[in-house]
Amino acid sequence: VRRAIAALAAIAPLHNPVAAEVIAAARAALPAVPHAAAFDSAFHATLPKEAYLYALPYEWYSEWGYRRYGFHGLSVAWSVERAATLLARDDLGVVVAHLGAGCSVSAVWQGRSVSTSMGMTPLEGLVMATRAGSIDSGLLLAAQRDHGLDVSALEDVLEHRSGLFALSGRTADMRELVALA
């Protein structure tokens, strides 16, 4: 499981490497204790095909596995279950906004994910602390073509130097931004 999590680091580079390290440390510290992994994207396994397919060549999905996976599923599942309990209903159609350093919006119908703003990676969707969210893919091609940015440089910008950090020019911390405002 650790190897699989590490192998998927390209999909979630801010999370998977750290998760693999934490699992290794926990197993070393507590070798006799059973360990389990909960995957944030599992909640979105119910996405219908029209919600997870991109408008790209079908082989990119069928052969490469490129599709919308969605993230923040643990938070979304808890929110939906809590709303159902508070309202004493299990037939809810809700929109859940997960807002923090990472942000997403998910549509849930009767406990099943039917749409989500995050895609194959957590980069897609809403503006986040250090991630731009959805942007014109042509802009990335232009930056690569016109300014010689390679994949590593683009990844650094998209993961660490965009979003609220880029918009403010100072910080990605919402508390600081509110204080500055």
Side-chain angles (χ1 to χ4, degrees), residues 65-136:
Y66 289 6
R67 56 162 282 177
R68 178 173 282 112
Y69 290 104
F71 296 86
H72 299 145
L74 298 171
S75 169
V76 175
W78 179 87
S79 299
V80 170
E81 289 170 18
R82 185 69 179 134
T85 298
L86 290 173
L87 297 171
R89 293 180 56 185
D90 61 2
D91 62 342
L92 296 175
V94 296
V95 174
V96 178
H98 175 99
L99 304 176
C103 300
S104 65
V105 177
S106 299
V108 181
W109 178 253
Q110 297 180 350
R112 298 170 54 91
S113 177
V114 295
S115 187
T116 185
S117 62
M118 283 190 159
M120 186 175 106
T121 73
L123 286 171
E124 188 177 7
L126 306 175
V127 171
M128 296 168 245
T130 61
R131 297 182 193 125
S134 294
I135 57 172
D136 181 345

Short mmCIF file of all heavy atoms in Angstrom, two decimals, residues 65-136:
data_model
loop_
_atom_site.label_atom_id
_atom_site.label_comp_id
_atom_site.label_asym_id
_atom_site.label_seq_id
_atom_site.Cartn_x
_atom_site.Cartn_y
_atom_site.Cartn_z
N GLY A 65 -5.83 5.95 -18.08
CA GLY A 65 -6.52 6.14 -16.81
C GLY A 65 -6.74 7.60 -16.43
O GLY A 65 -7.06 7.90 -15.29
N TYR A 66 -6.57 8.52 -17.38
CA TYR A 66 -6.77 9.94 -17.11
C TYR A 66 -8.27 10.23 -17.03
O TYR A 66 -9.00 10.05 -18.01
CB TYR A 66 -6.15 10.80 -18.20
CG TYR A 66 -4.64 10.84 -18.21
CD1 TYR A 66 -3.87 10.04 -17.36
CD2 TYR A 66 -3.97 11.67 -19.08
CE1 TYR A 66 -2.50 10.09 -17.38
CE2 TYR A 66 -2.59 11.73 -19.11
CZ TYR A 66 -1.86 10.93 -18.26
OH TYR A 66 -0.49 10.98 -18.28
N ARG A 67 -8.70 10.65 -15.87
CA ARG A 67 -10.11 10.94 -15.63
C ARG A 67 -10.20 11.79 -14.37
O ARG A 67 -9.22 11.96 -13.66
CB ARG A 67 -10.91 9.65 -15.44
CG ARG A 67 -10.35 8.77 -14.31
CD ARG A 67 -11.30 7.74 -13.80
NE ARG A 67 -12.27 8.36 -12.91
CZ ARG A 67 -13.26 7.72 -12.34
NH1 ARG A 67 -13.46 6.45 -12.56
NH2 ARG A 67 -14.09 8.33 -11.54
N ARG A 68 -11.37 12.31 -14.08
CA ARG A 68 -11.61 13.04 -12.83
C ARG A 68 -11.77 12.03 -11.71
O ARG A 68 -12.59 11.11 -11.81
CB ARG A 68 -12.86 13.91 -12.98
CG ARG A 68 -13.21 14.66 -11.71
CD ARG A 68 -14.35 15.65 -11.93
NE ARG A 68 -13.80 16.83 -12.59
CZ ARG A 68 -14.07 17.20 -13.84
NH1 ARG A 68 -14.91 16.49 -14.57
NH2 ARG A 68 -13.52 18.28 -14.36
N TYR A 69 -10.97 12.17 -10.67
CA TYR A 69 -11.06 11.29 -9.51
C TYR A 69 -11.75 11.99 -8.35
O TYR A 69 -12.48 11.38 -7.60
CB TYR A 69 -9.67 10.81 -9.07
CG TYR A 69 -9.06 9.84 -10.06
CD1 TYR A 69 -8.06 10.24 -10.93
CD2 TYR A 69 -9.52 8.54 -10.13
CE1 TYR A 69 -7.51 9.35 -11.83
CE2 TYR A 69 -8.99 7.64 -11.04
CZ TYR A 69 -7.98 8.06 -11.89
OH TYR A 69 -7.45 7.19 -12.79
N GLY A 70 -11.51 13.28 -8.18
CA GLY A 70 -12.09 14.01 -7.06
C GLY A 70 -11.31 13.77 -5.78
O GLY A 70 -10.63 12.75 -5.63
N PHE A 71 -11.38 14.72 -4.89
CA PHE A 71 -10.67 14.66 -3.62
C PHE A 71 -11.56 15.22 -2.52
O PHE A 71 -12.67 15.64 -2.78
CB PHE A 71 -9.33 15.41 -3.72
CG PHE A 71 -8.40 14.78 -4.72
CD1 PHE A 71 -8.48 15.11 -6.07
CD2 PHE A 71 -7.49 13.81 -4.33
CE1 PHE A 71 -7.65 14.51 -7.00
CE2 PHE A 71 -6.66 13.20 -5.25
CZ PHE A 71 -6.74 13.55 -6.59
N HIS A 72 -11.09 15.25 -1.32
CA HIS A 72 -11.82 15.71 -0.13
C HIS A 72 -13.02 14.84 0.18
O HIS A 72 -13.95 15.25 0.86
CB HIS A 72 -12.25 17.18 -0.28
CG HIS A 72 -11.12 18.13 -0.44
ND1 HIS A 72 -11.22 19.25 -1.23
CD2 HIS A 72 -9.86 18.13 0.07
CE1 HIS A 72 -10.06 19.90 -1.19
NE2 HIS A 72 -9.22 19.22 -0.41
N GLY A 73 -13.00 13.61 -0.30
CA GLY A 73 -14.14 12.70 -0.10
C GLY A 73 -14.46 12.40 1.34
O GLY A 73 -15.63 12.24 1.70
N LEU A 74 -13.45 12.32 2.20
CA LEU A 74 -13.72 12.04 3.61
C LEU A 74 -14.51 13.19 4.23
O LEU A 74 -15.47 12.97 4.98
CB LEU A 74 -12.41 11.82 4.38
CG LEU A 74 -11.58 10.62 3.91
CD1 LEU A 74 -10.21 10.62 4.56
CD2 LEU A 74 -12.32 9.32 4.15
N SER A 75 -14.14 14.41 3.90
CA SER A 75 -14.84 15.60 4.40
C SER A 75 -16.26 15.67 3.83
O SER A 75 -17.22 15.95 4.55
CB SER A 75 -14.05 16.85 4.01
OG SER A 75 -14.79 18.02 4.24
N VAL A 76 -16.38 15.40 2.54
CA VAL A 76 -17.70 15.45 1.89
C VAL A 76 -18.62 14.39 2.48
O VAL A 76 -19.78 14.67 2.82
CB VAL A 76 -17.57 15.30 0.36
CG1 VAL A 76 -18.94 15.23 -0.30
CG2 VAL A 76 -16.75 16.43 -0.23
N ALA A 77 -18.11 13.18 2.63
CA ALA A 77 -18.93 12.09 3.19
C ALA A 77 -19.41 12.45 4.59
O ALA A 77 -20.59 12.25 4.92
CB ALA A 77 -18.13 10.78 3.22
N TRP A 78 -18.52 12.97 5.42
CA TRP A 78 -18.92 13.35 6.78
C TRP A 78 -20.00 14.44 6.72
O TRP A 78 -21.00 14.36 7.45
CB TRP A 78 -17.72 13.85 7.59
CG TRP A 78 -18.15 14.25 8.97
CD1 TRP A 78 -18.24 13.45 10.06
CD2 TRP A 78 -18.60 15.56 9.39
NE1 TRP A 78 -18.71 14.17 11.15
CE2 TRP A 78 -18.94 15.47 10.76
CE3 TRP A 78 -18.74 16.79 8.75
CZ2 TRP A 78 -19.41 16.55 11.48
CZ3 TRP A 78 -19.20 17.87 9.48
CH2 TRP A 78 -19.53 17.74 10.83
N SER A 79 -19.82 15.43 5.88
CA SER A 79 -20.78 16.54 5.78
C SER A 79 -22.16 16.04 5.36
O SER A 79 -23.18 16.46 5.92
CB SER A 79 -20.27 17.59 4.79
OG SER A 79 -19.05 18.13 5.21
N VAL A 80 -22.18 15.15 4.39
CA VAL A 80 -23.45 14.61 3.90
C VAL A 80 -24.13 13.77 4.99
O VAL A 80 -25.33 13.90 5.23
CB VAL A 80 -23.23 13.77 2.62
CG1 VAL A 80 -24.48 13.01 2.23
CG2 VAL A 80 -22.77 14.68 1.48
N GLU A 81 -23.35 12.92 5.65
CA GLU A 81 -23.91 12.09 6.72
C GLU A 81 -24.42 12.96 7.87
O GLU A 81 -25.49 12.69 8.43
CB GLU A 81 -22.86 11.11 7.23
CG GLU A 81 -22.55 10.01 6.24
CD GLU A 81 -21.34 9.17 6.64
OE1 GLU A 81 -20.93 9.20 7.82
OE2 GLU A 81 -20.81 8.49 5.75
N ARG A 82 -23.69 14.00 8.20
CA ARG A 82 -24.10 14.89 9.30
C ARG A 82 -25.39 15.63 8.93
O ARG A 82 -26.31 15.74 9.75
CB ARG A 82 -22.98 15.88 9.63
CG ARG A 82 -23.26 16.75 10.81
CD ARG A 82 -23.25 15.94 12.10
NE ARG A 82 -23.50 16.84 13.22
CZ ARG A 82 -24.34 16.58 14.19
NH1 ARG A 82 -24.98 15.43 14.24
NH2 ARG A 82 -24.52 17.44 15.15
N ALA A 83 -25.47 16.14 7.70
CA ALA A 83 -26.68 16.84 7.26
C ALA A 83 -27.88 15.89 7.28
O ALA A 83 -28.97 16.26 7.73
CB ALA A 83 -26.49 17.41 5.86
N ALA A 84 -27.67 14.65 6.81
CA ALA A 84 -28.76 13.67 6.80
C ALA A 84 -29.24 13.38 8.22
O ALA A 84 -30.45 13.27 8.46
CB ALA A 84 -28.31 12.39 6.12
N THR A 85 -28.30 13.29 9.16
CA THR A 85 -28.67 13.04 10.56
C THR A 85 -29.43 14.22 11.13
O THR A 85 -30.49 14.05 11.76
CB THR A 85 -27.41 12.76 11.41
OG1 THR A 85 -26.78 11.59 10.90
CG2 THR A 85 -27.75 12.57 12.87
N LEU A 86 -28.92 15.42 10.93
CA LEU A 86 -29.57 16.62 11.49
C LEU A 86 -30.96 16.85 10.91
O LEU A 86 -31.85 17.33 11.61
CB LEU A 86 -28.70 17.85 11.25
CG LEU A 86 -27.40 17.92 12.04
CD1 LEU A 86 -26.54 19.10 11.58
CD2 LEU A 86 -27.68 18.03 13.54
N LEU A 87 -31.14 16.51 9.64
CA LEU A 87 -32.42 16.73 8.98
C LEU A 87 -33.32 15.49 9.01
O LEU A 87 -34.44 15.53 8.51
CB LEU A 87 -32.19 17.18 7.53
CG LEU A 87 -31.45 18.50 7.37
CD1 LEU A 87 -31.09 18.74 5.91
CD2 LEU A 87 -32.29 19.66 7.92
N ALA A 88 -32.78 14.40 9.56
CA ALA A 88 -33.51 13.12 9.62
C ALA A 88 -34.01 12.71 8.24
O ALA A 88 -35.17 12.32 8.06
CB ALA A 88 -34.66 13.20 10.63
N ARG A 89 -33.11 12.79 7.25
CA ARG A 89 -33.45 12.43 5.87
C ARG A 89 -32.27 11.71 5.23
O ARG A 89 -31.12 12.05 5.48
CB ARG A 89 -33.75 13.68 5.04
CG ARG A 89 -35.02 14.40 5.48
CD ARG A 89 -35.30 15.61 4.65
NE ARG A 89 -35.36 15.31 3.23
CZ ARG A 89 -35.49 16.24 2.30
NH1 ARG A 89 -35.56 17.51 2.63
NH2 ARG A 89 -35.54 15.91 1.03
N ASP A 90 -32.57 10.77 4.37
CA ASP A 90 -31.50 10.11 3.63
C ASP A 90 -31.65 10.30 2.12
O ASP A 90 -30.98 9.65 1.33
CB ASP A 90 -31.43 8.63 3.97
CG ASP A 90 -32.70 7.88 3.64
OD1 ASP A 90 -33.64 8.48 3.10
OD2 ASP A 90 -32.73 6.66 3.92
N ASP A 91 -32.54 11.20 1.72
CA ASP A 91 -32.81 11.44 0.31
C ASP A 91 -32.31 12.81 -0.15
O ASP A 91 -32.83 13.40 -1.08
CB ASP A 91 -34.30 11.32 0.03
CG ASP A 91 -35.12 12.37 0.79
OD1 ASP A 91 -34.59 12.95 1.76
OD2 ASP A 91 -36.28 12.60 0.40
N LEU A 92 -31.27 13.30 0.50
CA LEU A 92 -30.81 14.66 0.24
C LEU A 92 -30.06 14.81 -1.07
O LEU A 92 -29.31 13.93 -1.48
CB LEU A 92 -29.88 15.13 1.37
CG LEU A 92 -30.48 15.26 2.76
CD1 LEU A 92 -29.40 15.61 3.75
CD2 LEU A 92 -31.57 16.30 2.76
N GLY A 93 -30.24 15.96 -1.68
CA GLY A 93 -29.39 16.43 -2.75
C GLY A 93 -28.69 17.65 -2.18
O GLY A 93 -29.35 18.62 -1.82
N VAL A 94 -27.38 17.58 -2.02
CA VAL A 94 -26.65 18.68 -1.39
C VAL A 94 -25.41 19.04 -2.19
O VAL A 94 -24.88 18.23 -2.95
CB VAL A 94 -26.23 18.35 0.07
CG1 VAL A 94 -27.44 18.15 0.95
CG2 VAL A 94 -25.35 17.13 0.12
N VAL A 95 -24.98 20.27 -1.99
CA VAL A 95 -23.69 20.73 -2.51
C VAL A 95 -22.82 20.99 -1.29
O VAL A 95 -23.21 21.72 -0.39
CB VAL A 95 -23.85 22.00 -3.37
CG1 VAL A 95 -22.49 22.55 -3.77
CG2 VAL A 95 -24.71 21.72 -4.59
N VAL A 96 -21.67 20.35 -1.27
CA VAL A 96 -20.74 20.50 -0.15
C VAL A 96 -19.53 21.29 -0.61
O VAL A 96 -18.89 20.94 -1.60
CB VAL A 96 -20.29 19.12 0.37
CG1 VAL A 96 -19.28 19.28 1.51
CG2 VAL A 96 -21.48 18.29 0.83
N ALA A 97 -19.25 22.37 0.10
CA ALA A 97 -18.05 23.18 -0.18
C ALA A 97 -17.02 22.86 0.89
O ALA A 97 -17.25 23.09 2.08
CB ALA A 97 -18.40 24.66 -0.17
N HIS A 98 -15.91 22.31 0.48
CA HIS A 98 -14.79 22.03 1.37
C HIS A 98 -13.83 23.20 1.20
O HIS A 98 -13.21 23.36 0.14
CB HIS A 98 -14.11 20.71 0.98
CG HIS A 98 -12.88 20.41 1.76
ND1 HIS A 98 -12.88 19.54 2.83
CD2 HIS A 98 -11.61 20.86 1.65
CE1 HIS A 98 -11.66 19.47 3.33
NE2 HIS A 98 -10.87 20.26 2.63
N LEU A 99 -13.74 24.05 2.21
CA LEU A 99 -12.94 25.27 2.10
C LEU A 99 -11.82 25.26 3.13
O LEU A 99 -12.06 25.07 4.31
CB LEU A 99 -13.83 26.50 2.29
CG LEU A 99 -15.02 26.59 1.34
CD1 LEU A 99 -15.89 27.79 1.69
CD2 LEU A 99 -14.55 26.67 -0.11
N GLY A 100 -10.63 25.46 2.67
CA GLY A 100 -9.44 25.48 3.51
C GLY A 100 -8.26 25.81 2.63
O GLY A 100 -8.41 26.54 1.65
N ALA A 101 -7.10 25.27 2.93
CA ALA A 101 -5.95 25.49 2.05
C ALA A 101 -6.21 24.83 0.70
O ALA A 101 -5.83 25.34 -0.34
CB ALA A 101 -4.67 24.95 2.69
N GLY A 102 -6.87 23.68 0.73
CA GLY A 102 -7.38 23.05 -0.47
C GLY A 102 -8.89 23.25 -0.48
O GLY A 102 -9.52 23.22 0.57
N CYS A 103 -9.45 23.49 -1.65
CA CYS A 103 -10.89 23.78 -1.74
C CYS A 103 -11.52 22.96 -2.86
O CYS A 103 -10.91 22.75 -3.90
CB CYS A 103 -11.11 25.26 -2.05
SG CYS A 103 -10.44 26.39 -0.83
N SER A 104 -12.75 22.54 -2.62
CA SER A 104 -13.50 21.86 -3.66
C SER A 104 -14.99 22.01 -3.39
O SER A 104 -15.40 22.33 -2.27
CB SER A 104 -13.13 20.37 -3.74
OG SER A 104 -13.51 19.70 -2.55
N VAL A 105 -15.77 21.76 -4.42
CA VAL A 105 -17.22 21.75 -4.32
C VAL A 105 -17.68 20.42 -4.91
O VAL A 105 -17.22 20.02 -5.98
CB VAL A 105 -17.86 22.93 -5.09
CG1 VAL A 105 -19.37 22.87 -5.03
CG2 VAL A 105 -17.35 24.25 -4.54
N SER A 106 -18.56 19.75 -4.20
CA SER A 106 -19.08 18.46 -4.67
C SER A 106 -20.59 18.45 -4.60
O SER A 106 -21.18 18.94 -3.64
CB SER A 106 -18.55 17.32 -3.80
OG SER A 106 -17.14 17.25 -3.86
N ALA A 107 -21.21 17.90 -5.65
CA ALA A 107 -22.65 17.68 -5.66
C ALA A 107 -22.90 16.22 -5.27
O ALA A 107 -22.25 15.31 -5.81
CB ALA A 107 -23.23 17.96 -7.04
N VAL A 108 -23.81 16.02 -4.32
CA VAL A 108 -24.10 14.68 -3.81
C VAL A 108 -25.61 14.47 -3.87
O VAL A 108 -26.38 15.31 -3.40
CB VAL A 108 -23.59 14.53 -2.35
CG1 VAL A 108 -23.86 13.13 -1.84
CG2 VAL A 108 -22.09 14.85 -2.28
N TRP A 109 -26.01 13.37 -4.46
CA TRP A 109 -27.42 13.02 -4.55
C TRP A 109 -27.63 11.70 -3.81
O TRP A 109 -27.04 10.69 -4.17
CB TRP A 109 -27.85 12.90 -6.01
CG TRP A 109 -29.28 12.49 -6.16
CD1 TRP A 109 -29.76 11.29 -6.57
CD2 TRP A 109 -30.42 13.29 -5.87
NE1 TRP A 109 -31.13 11.29 -6.56
CE2 TRP A 109 -31.56 12.51 -6.14
CE3 TRP A 109 -30.60 14.59 -5.41
CZ2 TRP A 109 -32.86 12.99 -5.96
CZ3 TRP A 109 -31.89 15.06 -5.24
CH2 TRP A 109 -32.99 14.26 -5.52
N GLN A 110 -28.44 11.74 -2.76
CA GLN A 110 -28.78 10.56 -1.96
C GLN A 110 -27.53 9.78 -1.54
O GLN A 110 -27.45 8.57 -1.66
CB GLN A 110 -29.77 9.68 -2.71
CG GLN A 110 -31.09 10.40 -2.95
CD GLN A 110 -32.10 9.58 -3.70
OE1 GLN A 110 -31.81 8.52 -4.23
NE2 GLN A 110 -33.32 10.09 -3.76
N GLY A 111 -26.54 10.53 -1.05
CA GLY A 111 -25.33 9.93 -0.51
C GLY A 111 -24.26 9.56 -1.53
O GLY A 111 -23.20 9.08 -1.16
N ARG A 112 -24.52 9.81 -2.81
CA ARG A 112 -23.57 9.43 -3.87
C ARG A 112 -23.03 10.68 -4.55
O ARG A 112 -23.78 11.57 -4.92
CB ARG A 112 -24.26 8.54 -4.90
CG ARG A 112 -24.77 7.23 -4.32
CD ARG A 112 -25.65 6.45 -5.29
NE ARG A 112 -25.04 6.22 -6.57
CZ ARG A 112 -24.31 5.15 -6.89
NH1 ARG A 112 -24.12 4.20 -5.99
NH2 ARG A 112 -23.79 5.01 -8.09
N SER A 113 -21.72 10.71 -4.75
CA SER A 113 -21.09 11.82 -5.47
C SER A 113 -21.53 11.79 -6.93
O SER A 113 -21.45 10.75 -7.59
CB SER A 113 -19.58 11.70 -5.38
OG SER A 113 -18.96 12.74 -6.12
N VAL A 114 -22.02 12.92 -7.42
CA VAL A 114 -22.44 13.00 -8.82
C VAL A 114 -21.63 14.03 -9.61
O VAL A 114 -21.65 14.03 -10.83
CB VAL A 114 -23.95 13.27 -8.96
CG1 VAL A 114 -24.76 12.09 -8.43
CG2 VAL A 114 -24.36 14.55 -8.29
N SER A 115 -20.91 14.91 -8.89
CA SER A 115 -20.05 15.88 -9.57
C SER A 115 -19.10 16.48 -8.54
O SER A 115 -19.45 16.61 -7.36
CB SER A 115 -20.89 17.00 -10.21
OG SER A 115 -20.06 17.84 -10.99
N THR A 116 -17.92 16.82 -8.99
CA THR A 116 -16.95 17.45 -8.10
C THR A 116 -16.05 18.37 -8.90
O THR A 116 -15.82 18.15 -10.09
CB THR A 116 -16.12 16.40 -7.32
OG1 THR A 116 -15.29 17.07 -6.39
CG2 THR A 116 -15.30 15.53 -8.25
N SER A 117 -15.57 19.41 -8.25
CA SER A 117 -14.75 20.40 -8.95
C SER A 117 -13.30 19.96 -9.12
O SER A 117 -12.61 20.44 -10.02
CB SER A 117 -14.79 21.74 -8.21
OG SER A 117 -14.26 21.61 -6.91
N MET A 118 -12.82 19.07 -8.27
CA MET A 118 -11.44 18.61 -8.41
C MET A 118 -11.38 17.50 -9.45
O MET A 118 -12.33 16.76 -9.63
CB MET A 118 -10.86 18.12 -7.08
CG MET A 118 -10.47 19.26 -6.18
SD MET A 118 -9.54 18.66 -4.77
CE MET A 118 -8.72 20.17 -4.30
N GLY A 119 -10.24 17.38 -10.10
CA GLY A 119 -10.16 16.47 -11.22
C GLY A 119 -9.28 15.27 -11.01
O GLY A 119 -9.36 14.58 -10.00
N MET A 120 -8.40 15.03 -11.99
CA MET A 120 -7.47 13.93 -11.89
C MET A 120 -6.47 14.20 -10.77
O MET A 120 -5.97 13.28 -10.13
CB MET A 120 -6.72 13.73 -13.21
CG MET A 120 -5.84 12.50 -13.22
SD MET A 120 -5.08 12.20 -14.80
CE MET A 120 -3.40 12.69 -14.44
N THR A 121 -6.21 15.47 -10.53
CA THR A 121 -5.34 15.90 -9.45
C THR A 121 -6.08 16.95 -8.65
O THR A 121 -7.10 17.49 -9.10
CB THR A 121 -4.01 16.50 -9.97
OG1 THR A 121 -4.28 17.80 -10.52
CG2 THR A 121 -3.37 15.61 -11.03
N PRO A 122 -5.56 17.32 -7.49
CA PRO A 122 -6.21 18.39 -6.71
C PRO A 122 -6.01 19.79 -7.28
O PRO A 122 -6.45 20.76 -6.70
CB PRO A 122 -5.51 18.28 -5.33
CG PRO A 122 -4.94 16.93 -5.28
CD PRO A 122 -4.57 16.59 -6.69
N LEU A 123 -5.37 19.93 -8.44
CA LEU A 123 -5.15 21.25 -9.02
C LEU A 123 -6.40 21.86 -9.62
O LEU A 123 -6.53 23.08 -9.68
CB LEU A 123 -4.07 21.18 -10.11
CG LEU A 123 -2.64 21.02 -9.64
CD1 LEU A 123 -1.71 20.76 -10.82
CD2 LEU A 123 -2.19 22.25 -8.87
N GLU A 124 -7.32 21.04 -10.08
CA GLU A 124 -8.50 21.55 -10.77
C GLU A 124 -9.54 22.09 -9.79
O GLU A 124 -9.63 21.65 -8.66
CB GLU A 124 -9.14 20.43 -11.60
CG GLU A 124 -10.25 20.91 -12.52
CD GLU A 124 -10.82 19.81 -13.39
OE1 GLU A 124 -10.46 18.63 -13.21
OE2 GLU A 124 -11.64 20.13 -14.25
N GLY A 125 -10.31 23.06 -10.23
CA GLY A 125 -11.44 23.53 -9.43
C GLY A 125 -11.28 24.95 -8.94
O GLY A 125 -10.92 25.85 -9.68
N LEU A 126 -11.55 25.14 -7.64
CA LEU A 126 -11.54 26.46 -7.02
C LEU A 126 -10.13 26.97 -6.76
O LEU A 126 -9.19 26.19 -6.63
CB LEU A 126 -12.28 26.38 -5.68
CG LEU A 126 -13.70 25.81 -5.69
CD1 LEU A 126 -14.23 25.68 -4.28
CD2 LEU A 126 -14.61 26.65 -6.55
N VAL A 127 -10.01 28.28 -6.63
CA VAL A 127 -8.75 28.87 -6.18
C VAL A 127 -8.49 28.37 -4.76
O VAL A 127 -9.39 28.33 -3.93
CB VAL A 127 -8.83 30.41 -6.21
CG1 VAL A 127 -7.61 31.04 -5.55
CG2 VAL A 127 -8.99 30.92 -7.63
N MET A 128 -7.24 27.99 -4.49
CA MET A 128 -6.87 27.47 -3.18
C MET A 128 -5.72 28.29 -2.61
O MET A 128 -5.37 29.33 -3.17
CB MET A 128 -6.50 25.99 -3.31
CG MET A 128 -7.68 25.14 -3.76
SD MET A 128 -7.18 23.49 -4.26
CE MET A 128 -7.61 23.53 -6.00
N ALA A 129 -5.14 27.84 -1.52
CA ALA A 129 -4.07 28.59 -0.87
C ALA A 129 -2.89 28.81 -1.82
O ALA A 129 -2.48 29.95 -2.04
CB ALA A 129 -3.61 27.87 0.40
N THR A 130 -2.35 27.74 -2.37
CA THR A 130 -1.20 27.87 -3.26
C THR A 130 -1.43 27.27 -4.64
O THR A 130 -0.53 27.22 -5.46
CB THR A 130 0.06 27.20 -2.64
OG1 THR A 130 -0.21 25.81 -2.46
CG2 THR A 130 0.44 27.85 -1.32
N ARG A 131 -2.66 26.81 -4.91
CA ARG A 131 -3.01 26.25 -6.22
C ARG A 131 -3.96 27.20 -6.93
O ARG A 131 -4.89 27.74 -6.33
CB ARG A 131 -3.69 24.90 -6.05
CG ARG A 131 -2.84 23.84 -5.43
CD ARG A 131 -3.63 22.53 -5.39
NE ARG A 131 -3.01 21.54 -4.55
CZ ARG A 131 -3.62 20.92 -3.55
NH1 ARG A 131 -4.88 21.19 -3.26
NH2 ARG A 131 -2.99 20.02 -2.84
N ALA A 132 -3.75 27.35 -8.23
CA ALA A 132 -4.54 28.29 -9.02
C ALA A 132 -5.98 27.85 -9.20
O ALA A 132 -6.86 28.67 -9.45
CB ALA A 132 -3.90 28.48 -10.40
N GLY A 133 -6.25 26.55 -9.12
CA GLY A 133 -7.57 26.06 -9.48
C GLY A 133 -7.65 25.97 -10.99
O GLY A 133 -6.64 25.93 -11.68
N SER A 134 -8.85 25.93 -11.54
CA SER A 134 -9.01 25.79 -12.99
C SER A 134 -8.49 27.01 -13.72
O SER A 134 -8.85 28.14 -13.40
CB SER A 134 -10.49 25.56 -13.33
OG SER A 134 -10.91 24.32 -12.80
N ILE A 135 -7.64 26.75 -14.67
CA ILE A 135 -7.09 27.82 -15.52
C ILE A 135 -7.10 27.34 -16.96
O ILE A 135 -7.24 26.14 -17.23
CB ILE A 135 -5.66 28.22 -15.11
CG1 ILE A 135 -4.72 27.02 -15.13
CG2 ILE A 135 -5.65 28.88 -13.74
CD1 ILE A 135 -3.27 27.37 -14.92
N ASP A 136 -6.92 28.24 -17.88
CA ASP A 136 -6.85 27.92 -19.30
C ASP A 136 -5.59 27.10 -19.55
O ASP A 136 -4.48 27.57 -19.31
CB ASP A 136 -6.83 29.23 -20.09
CG ASP A 136 -6.79 29.04 -21.59
OD1 ASP A 136 -6.49 27.92 -22.07
OD2 ASP A 136 -7.02 30.03 -22.30
#
